[in-house]
Amino acid sequence: MMSNAVKNIMLRAISKRLAAGETLEDIIESYPKLTKEDIEEIKKEL
């Protein structure tokens, strides 16, 4: 489980990349250390 600070940073980075036209799947693949729980948490927040 990510801390709130790390989650907030990840959400901002992912949001910027989505706005730049990348797909969520491609972005998630670029963060191999994310667990399935982390990914689900991020998806809920987006």
Side-chain angles (χ1 to χ4, degrees), residues 9-31 39 42-46:
I9 292 167
M10 292 294 298
L11 287 169
R12 277 188 258 142
I14 291 170
S15 293
K16 286 183 180 193
R17 291 177 67 178
L18 286 169
E22 291 184 66
T23 66
L24 183 57
E25 291 76 24
D26 287 342
I27 297 167
I28 296 297
E29 285 178 13
S30 71
Y31 295 103
I39 294 167
I42 288 169
K43 286 181 177 181
K44 282 183 190 177
E45 295 289 329
L46 291 175

